[in-house]
Amino acid sequence: MLRRYSVHILLILAGGVLTYLAYEELVSLYILSVLMFMGVNVILSASLNLVNGYMGEFSCGHAGFMCVGAYVSSVLGVFLFAKDKVFGAPLLDPSLALYAFPFIILAGGVAAAVAGLLVAIPSYKTRGDYLAIITIAANYIIISIIQNLGIIGGSRGFMGMKSVISSMEDVVDLPWMPIWVFIFTVFTVWVLRRYVSSTFGKGVSAICQDEVAAEIMSVNTNKIKTISFMVSSGLAGVGGGLFAYVIGYVNPGSFNILKSTEVLVMVYLGGMGSLSGSVLSAVLFTVLLEALRPLQIIKWIVIPLLLVILMQFRPEGIMGNKELGDVFPWLKKFYKFK
Amino acid sequence: MLANILQNLINALQWGSFYALIALGYTLVYGVLTLINFAHGDVFMVGAYIAFFVATFLLTTIGLPGWAALALTIPLTMILTSVVGVTLERVAYRPLRRKGANRLYVVITALMCGLILEHANLAILGASRKAFPPLIQETVYNVGGVVFTNLKLGVIFTAILTFLFLHWVVTKTRVGMAMRAISYDKFAVPLMGIPLDHIIVVTFVLGSGFAGLAGLLFAMSYPVLEPYMGALIGWKAFIAAVVGGIGDIRGAFLGGFLLGAVEILVVAVFPSSYRDLFAFSVLLIILVFKPTGLFGIAKTTKI
Amino acid sequence: MTVQPASQTDTAAVLEINGLTQRFGGLTAVHDFNVQLLPGELAGLIGPNGAGKTTVFNLVSGFYQPSEGEIRIGGMPTAGLKPHKVTALGVSRTFQNIRLWNDMSVLDNIRVAQHGTLGYGFFHAIARSRTYLDCEARIEREARELLKIFDLDDYADELPKNLPYGLQRKVEIVRALSEKPKLLLLDEPAAGLNSVDIQELIRLVRWIHDTFDVTIWMIEHHMDVMMELCERIKVIDFGETIAEGTPELIRNHPAVITAYLGDDKI
């Protein structure tokens, strides 16, 4: 009985420890923010892996969907619960922010999913490489649209999320951002795992391995591609929303092709088609980014070089398409990975 | 009214020439290797910087007059940029090709190489922008209200010459035939005694060389250089190549000029911040209706 | 999967093709092709390489839309339907080059082939609802039963790429059968098999034909397989139908011999 729920217990404990450490300020704000970025990176890496790993496509514009989610959640939150220059007084009572927050983040996710739908549709008739083009173009288009929306700051950016967070902390005095990031990270991995381990989700893998056979063996390939793309971009939107609130400020330039490339690096580093790999590589990558912070200039030489070397000698990444349970079979007693 | 149209036409042709010259590098490599050489836009940037150093050296250290410096800078830039392109191929792409690695891995490597080029530039030369020295006397002509310079004409002229040259290479020379053969069936070609690696090197020489030329011309036209200058132009040129029909050099030129036209038109009517938005949107819409591009041939999957 | 004898009341054609013509650019791959397959038949389609046989199968599967002509499965026209919808009408097939999903277990190959009749969607899958659990249990049970019928249950967790070729072919046929089709298309099932496996294949196809309520249409180059199994054979060359009839008739038909071997005139 204990064994079956061991992972759940572990997660609750981890969440509790994190909350305690943050509340008592036993860890520095810096470490806390690194941990939160780690969570966001896990969400981004795992969600992109669904399309680039499990489905074997080449989507290069993940940051664009992040941007949609970031802006929708930020603007919604500030509009409803904070006083700011653009929207004036909050529409609703700020003390409700705590209960509405998850929905605000999810709203960002839904908006990003719709953006994903719009991007996916033109890709049906086109060959594999074309998704790269479409997603890159979409990334630029999304940033460009936001830059032209002066009402929410355009290129200068948008802020006000900090006051939404303070409103939450006024109601219940807990470090809310680390908690929300933790919850949504677990949620993301949970959703993705349940999707790909079901027979329904295995259709994604079938499309990757042989799309013609999948289509003829009763898999509605367009529908599955659409769903997968929407889930992937929706979760990226969730990550984007959390990212925006963690920083407290958002501007379209942060979601450019460089950010998309960061996520690509994480996916291929971890291993295409491995959820454990994505989580692992997100953690490692975040640490690497922080370690290279003093060497800001060569950061973006080291990281691409790393991936080039990876492609030469271990293109399947850290985990390949295996899960932790394949590498450490004794873990399978506690958790069904596939 | 007519003058306005002509003015925009000339601007579009000039602006599109850069896209066209870069796009053909993408299309040559894609046609032969089915590889999206994502580093190509940055090769263009490297070309511009090479041109900067060569021109500055010739002008100041050697003390050559402007036109002589230009005459030497053109071939030197093209040769040195080709070297960069071929080095990329030898060091990064060929080992993967040898191993028969999945195309995706090569594409990712290309993407990463582009980033390395950008940030190595940033690290070595610093963030300050470089000003390209003036090489020729820019004379402005005004014909019936249409304003253009000798440089603008030179750019357009160069692009057209390049197209004619490459068209000749691809259709009339043996190397060109080999390139086309590889694009149809990569495996049969070495079996026919054609050295695959040599042809691929030639492809990269051509593509990178003309990207270098584009870099030089761009630097002369817009004399401020910075490390990220290749990124956006590169992406756009690539999409233009695809819209034109990748694998076909007519497609690259058509796509490049089309993109130039779209951008000039947009900027003429809307505020310039909408330029990229419209450019990418138009390209996307064309792709939706004609997925293989304007000149592209649909390849059917056999089951 | 339940085993049923061929029903006697249902005499409507399982497959009906009328005036089927397929052009790819300037090439006419198939011209005025007609066929009518009745329930329970075991028919064959032969012809030299490039004759258009697989094109016909691809048209029936819905992979291409015909330039001209009509295809009906169990009376229902397939025009404009995507392949997965055509499969839902009751057709299933194997391929010239085995198209199993090699990184998925044999059991998963069978299960994913049920995608059209899963009975649940994305949200049920995430929520692991009662519907999901019941449907998954049913799918797994049926898949394992099917594997057991064909003596493949020991290989349920194997990856197809690790199995011998003959066994992979068998798995592919079983996967096609798991769709519970009215019409089973076998595209060169004997390709790449050694003589032992070919005998096994003949036994397998005959057994399937006798045991299940399914019409089988086969493309094959191995003449012994065709002659032994098929009740009726159609011969095409360059997209045109050149002969049709029983194996004995086809064996001696001059047009068929000419198509395969050329004629005596030099």
Side-chain angles (χ1 to χ4, degrees):
Chain A
M1 161 78 182
L2 192 71
R3 197 171 274 188
R4 251 192 75 192
Y5 290 107
S6 52
V7 174
H8 304 77
I9 295 173
L10 209 70
L11 282 173
I12 296 176
L13 274 176
V17 167
L18 180 69
T19 312
Y20 178 71
L21 289 175
Y23 184 71
E24 295 292 339
E25 292 174 19
L26 290 171
V27 286
S28 66
L29 219 59
Y30 170 69
I31 302 256
L32 208 58
S33 63
V34 171
L35 286 174
M36 287 195 283
F37 283 128
M38 220 179 257
V40 171
N41 281 341
V42 167
I43 295 177
L44 294 173
S45 165
S47 59
L48 184 60
N49 202 353
L50 179 63
V51 170
N52 281 19
Y54 281 102
M55 206 150 75
E57 298 272 9
F58 193 42
S59 167
C60 300
H62 216 51
F65 304 118
M66 232 187 127
C67 181
V68 172
Y71 264 87
V72 169
S73 325
S74 304
V75 171
L76 198 61
V78 169
F79 174 64
L80 289 177
F81 297 112
K83 191 170 82 135
D84 89 309
K85 291 188 283 286
V86 180
F87 299 116
L91 196 69
L92 301 172
D93 184 359
S95 55
L96 292 174
L98 178 57
Y99 310 105
F101 190 73
F103 295 103
I104 292 176
I105 295 290
L106 284 173
V110 168
V114 171
L117 176 67
L118 293 173
V119 171
I121 292 179
S123 72
Y124 295 151
K125 290 216 200 84
T126 57
R127 273 176 38 225
D129 296 337
Y130 285 51
L131 189 68
I133 302 162
I134 292 174
T135 46
I136 292 167
N139 195 338
Y140 274 106
I141 290 175
I142 291 171
I143 295 178
S144 209
I145 291 176
I146 307 257
Q147 279 170 336
N148 282 304
L149 284 176
I151 186 171
I152 50 171
S155 318
R156 295 184 317 277
F158 183 79
M159 50 200 275
M161 288 73 93
K162 286 270 187 261
S163 40
V164 178
I165 300 176
S166 340
S167 310
M168 290 196 278
E169 287 171 354
D170 287 340
V171 176
V172 178
D173 185 19
L174 278 178
W176 280 112
M177 274 327 289
I179 294 176
W180 287 124
V181 171
F182 183 76
I183 291 176
F184 275 108
T185 306
V186 171
F187 171 71
T188 299
V189 177
W190 179 80
V191 166
L192 287 170
R193 205 208 118 245
R194 285 193 162 192
Y195 181 33
V196 296
S197 60
S198 68
T199 303
F200 184 70
K202 286 182 183 156
V204 176
S205 201
I207 292 176
C208 172
Q209 293 175 45
D210 194 325
E211 187 172 338
V212 168
E215 176 71 38
I216 291 185
M217 290 294 138
S218 84
V219 177
N220 186 341
T221 53
N222 279 355
K223 186 168 110 176
I224 297 294
K225 282 185 186 176
T226 310
I227 292 177
S228 305
F229 215 83
M230 287 178 78
V231 169
S232 168
S233 41
L235 289 170
V238 167
L242 293 167
F243 179 78
Y245 276 90
V246 167
I247 301 183
Y249 161 73
V250 68
N251 94 324
S254 354
F255 303 106
N256 61 6
I257 205 83
L258 266 179
K259 189 92 190 133
S260 294
T261 309
E262 272 184 41
V263 188
L264 279 175
V265 171
M266 284 192 273
V267 169
Y268 296 115
L269 182 65
M272 305 199 286
S274 170
L275 201 53
S276 346
S278 304
V279 173
L280 226 70
S281 66
V283 170
L284 278 172
F285 188 73
T286 315
V287 170
L288 183 66
L289 275 183
E290 287 313 308
L292 286 175
R293 196 165 281 276
L295 300 164
Q296 190 65 12
I297 297 215
I298 65 165
K299 182 170 94 172
W300 275 109
I301 301 179
V302 170
I303 294 170
L305 200 60
L306 193 84
L307 205 59
V308 169
I309 296 174
L310 198 71
M311 286 297 125
Q312 297 277 338
F313 300 110
R314 201 185 156 84
E316 68 270 22
I318 300 177
M319 300 284 301
N321 64 351
K322 304 199 192 313
E323 299 288 344
L324 271 177
D326 299 316
V327 180
F328 302 112
W330 50 269
L331 281 175
K332 281 209 179 121
K333 285 189 273 183
F334 297 98
Y335 188 66
K336 211 169 100 188
F337 283 90
K338 280 208 175 151
Chain B
M1 183 58 199
L2 180 68
N4 207 359
I5 298 177
L6 278 177
Q7 180 74 71
N8 280 320
L9 185 67
I10 294 204
N11 292 345
L13 281 175
Q14 183 252 10
W15 187 237
S17 296
F18 299 115
Y19 286 131
L21 285 170
I22 301 173
L24 70 89
Y26 279 114
T27 217
L28 281 174
V29 170
Y30 191 86
V32 169
L33 283 179
T34 333
L35 163 70
I36 308 174
N37 184 10
F38 277 135
H40 193 64
D42 296 300
V43 170
F44 158 81
M45 177 270 291
V46 169
Y49 273 84
I50 288 177
F52 167 76
F53 284 112
V54 168
T56 314
F57 176 72
L58 289 175
L59 275 180
T60 49
T61 315
I62 305 231
L64 285 177
W67 56 268
L70 179 63
L72 277 178
T73 308
I74 293 180
L76 277 174
T77 306
M78 289 179 72
I79 293 172
L80 289 172
T81 318
S82 303
V83 169
V84 172
V86 172
T87 310
L88 263 181
E89 199 276 317
R90 292 297 299 276
V91 170
Y93 307 156
R94 187 180 295 192
L96 289 176
R97 228 176 353 104
R98 285 257 184 285
K99 280 189 233 168
N102 193 328
R103 241 179 52 219
L104 180 66
Y105 303 148
V106 193
V107 174
I108 296 168
T109 304
L111 196 60
M112 296 300 117
C113 285
L115 286 174
I116 293 175
L117 283 175
E118 281 170 25
H119 293 93
N121 181 335
L122 199 57
I124 297 173
L125 296 175
S128 61
R129 295 156 174 219
K130 300 269 181 274
F132 195 81
L135 283 174
I136 57 164
Q137 184 75 295
E138 249 191 270
T139 32
V140 182
Y141 303 108
N142 190 323
V143 176
V146 180
V147 180
F148 51 91
T149 67
N150 51 348
L151 181 57
K152 269 200 178 152
L153 280 183
V155 167
I156 301 174
F157 190 57
T158 311
I160 297 177
L161 263 184
T162 307
F163 170 70
L164 291 172
F165 170 69
L166 280 175
H167 190 72
W168 172 77
V169 167
V170 168
T171 47
K172 296 282 191 298
T173 64
R174 285 176 58 181
V175 165
M177 268 201 286
M179 282 164 61
R180 279 184 293 145
I182 297 176
S183 73
Y184 286 121
D185 191 333
K186 197 165 75 181
F187 297 108
V189 167
L191 293 174
M192 296 292 130
I194 301 173
L196 193 64
D197 284 340
H198 288 187
I199 307 295
I200 291 176
V201 167
V202 169
T203 311
F204 271 85
V205 165
L206 287 173
S208 311
F210 285 109
L213 181 62
L216 166 61
L217 290 173
F218 193 87
M220 285 172 69
S221 311
Y222 309 100
V224 179
L225 306 179
E226 49 103 10
Y228 291 115
M229 63 190 278
L232 186 58
I233 286 197
W235 287 122
K236 284 200 221 163
F238 166 60
I239 298 183
V242 170
V243 167
I246 201 148
D248 189 328
I249 56 168
R250 291 171 303 169
F253 272 83
L254 185 70
F257 285 123
L258 181 70
L259 180 58
V262 168
E263 291 200 346
I264 294 294
L265 250 154
V266 169
V267 172
V269 181
F270 297 96
S272 63
S273 60
Y274 283 86
R275 190 189 61 189
D276 293 344
L277 177 60
F278 272 83
F280 282 112
S281 305
V282 168
L283 291 175
L284 260 191
I285 292 173
I286 296 181
L287 267 186
V288 168
F289 288 106
K290 203 144 196 311
T292 47
L294 297 165
F295 268 116
I297 337 143
K299 289 206 183 117
T300 44
T301 341
K302 209 171 183 280
I303 54 166
Chain C
M1 182 167 165
T2 52
V3 166
Q4 293 166 1
S7 53
Q8 280 109 347
T9 49
D10 188 354
T11 51
V14 161
L15 175 68
E16 216 184 298
I17 302 181
N18 290 312
L20 184 68
T21 300
Q22 182 68 359
R23 283 178 221 101
F24 295 113
L27 173 72
T28 305
V30 176
H31 179 65
D32 196 21
F33 186 83
N34 300 282
V35 85
Q36 240 201 23
L37 294 181
L38 298 170
E41 275 204 77
L42 213 182
L45 181 63
I46 66 175
N49 271 321
K53 313 182 293 294
T54 301
T55 309
V56 171
F57 269 25
N58 289 344
L59 285 160
V60 174
S61 295
F63 194 67
Y64 304 133
Q65 293 303 316
S67 313
E68 273 174 48
E70 192 193 42
I71 303 173
R72 284 173 182 270
I73 299 185
M76 307 288 293
T78 66
L81 291 181
K82 296 207 78 210
H84 70 272
K85 289 248 160 64
V86 174
T87 304
L89 287 179
V91 198
S92 189
R93 70 177 283 186
T94 64
F95 301 87
Q96 227 168 326
N97 300 310
I98 297 182
R99 281 181 178 262
L100 289 170
W101 297 303
N102 278 314
D103 288 315
M104 259 195 248
S105 69
V106 164
L107 183 67
D108 277 336
N109 266 272
I110 310 284
R111 284 198 285 198
V112 172
Q114 310 310 304
H115 217 266
T117 51
L118 279 178
Y120 67 87
F122 178 75
F123 292 107
H124 282 288
I126 305 299
R128 297 286 152 106
S129 60
R130 184 87 264 162
T131 316
Y132 169 82
L133 293 168
D134 289 341
C135 291
E136 282 282 339
R138 169 182 56 89
I139 291 165
E140 183 171 345
R141 191 185 65 239
E142 288 180 1
R144 286 195 189 273
E145 274 174 18
L146 190 64
L147 288 176
K148 191 151 183 67
I149 294 175
F150 286 94
D151 279 328
L152 290 172
D153 44 327
D154 289 333
Y155 303 103
D157 296 319
E158 284 289 338
L159 296 179
K161 58 186 175 190
N162 295 332
L163 296 177
Y165 199 78
L167 221 55
Q168 287 186 34
R169 181 59 85 186
K170 188 172 175 184
V171 170
E172 205 197 14
I173 296 177
V174 172
R175 181 181 70 171
L177 273 177
S178 73
E179 307 266 2
K180 306 196 182 89
K182 288 187 247 179
L183 173 65
L184 178 64
L185 304 174
L186 298 175
D187 194 346
E188 294 193 40
L193 295 184
N194 60 39
S195 46
V196 173
D197 287 332
I198 289 182
Q199 292 308 310
E200 176 61 39
L201 176 75
I202 295 177
R203 267 194 296 270
L204 179 69
V205 175
R206 191 175 281 130
W207 187 79
I208 292 174
H209 182 236
D210 294 336
T211 326
F212 295 92
D213 177 19
V214 66
T215 307
I216 301 178
W217 201 20
M218 264 173 67
I219 293 177
E220 218 0 285
H221 274 299
H222 278 89
M223 285 307 143
D224 38 338
V225 175
M226 292 303 254
M227 298 300 159
E228 268 217 56
L229 285 173
C230 299
E231 302 157 349
R232 196 159 56 105
I233 299 181
K234 205 176 184 64
V235 190
I236 65 174
D237 191 16
F238 292 112
E240 305 281 349
T241 308
I242 60 175
E244 187 168 354
T246 62
E248 292 71 43
L249 196 121
I250 297 299
R251 204 199 305 262
N252 298 310
H253 198 292
V256 177
I257 297 174
T258 310
Y260 274 97
L261 298 175
D263 51 24
D264 284 338
K265 309 191 200 64
I266 298 170

